[in-house]
Amino acid sequence: MENISLNTKLEIAVEVIAAKIAKTSNEGYTIKDKKMQELIEERNQMYQGNENIIDKIIKKYGKVGE
């Protein structure tokens, strides 16, 4: 993923994390649950420009069926 610009990776990560948070919410998790808190923290770090988190979001949550 080194050849992709940071802006492009950020756009992809925004969509991926939004979908993951929505899916997790639909599974019955709430903001009080650790799993949801971790996703929101990753989203916050993503918006702060943490490239490691951006890559993690894309690689971990961007898999089809995950």
Side-chain angles (χ1 to χ4, degrees):
M1 292 187 53
E2 295 79 30
N3 296 334
I4 301 174
S5 75
L6 179 58
N7 287 339
T8 301
K9 289 197 296 188
L10 179 58
E11 288 180 30
I12 294 167
V14 166
E15 296 299 325
V16 169
I17 197 72
K20 181 63 177 175
I21 289 171
K23 180 180 178 188
T24 303
S25 177
N26 286 336
E27 292 172 351
Y29 292 92
T30 68
I31 192 69
K32 294 179 182 180
D33 294 305
K34 183 178 178 181
K35 186 173 185 176
M36 188 68 84
Q37 289 176 2
E38 289 172 357
L39 290 171
I40 291 170
E41 178 59 28
E42 288 176 340
R43 183 190 64 186
N44 292 341
Q45 290 181 32
M46 173 197 71
Y47 279 124
Q48 292 174 0
N50 184 328
E51 286 189 60
N52 292 328
I53 294 295
I54 291 169
D55 288 339
K56 176 186 175 185
I57 289 169
I58 294 170
K59 290 176 183 175
K60 183 175 180 182
Y61 306 128
K63 296 178 182 177
V64 176
E66 293 290 316

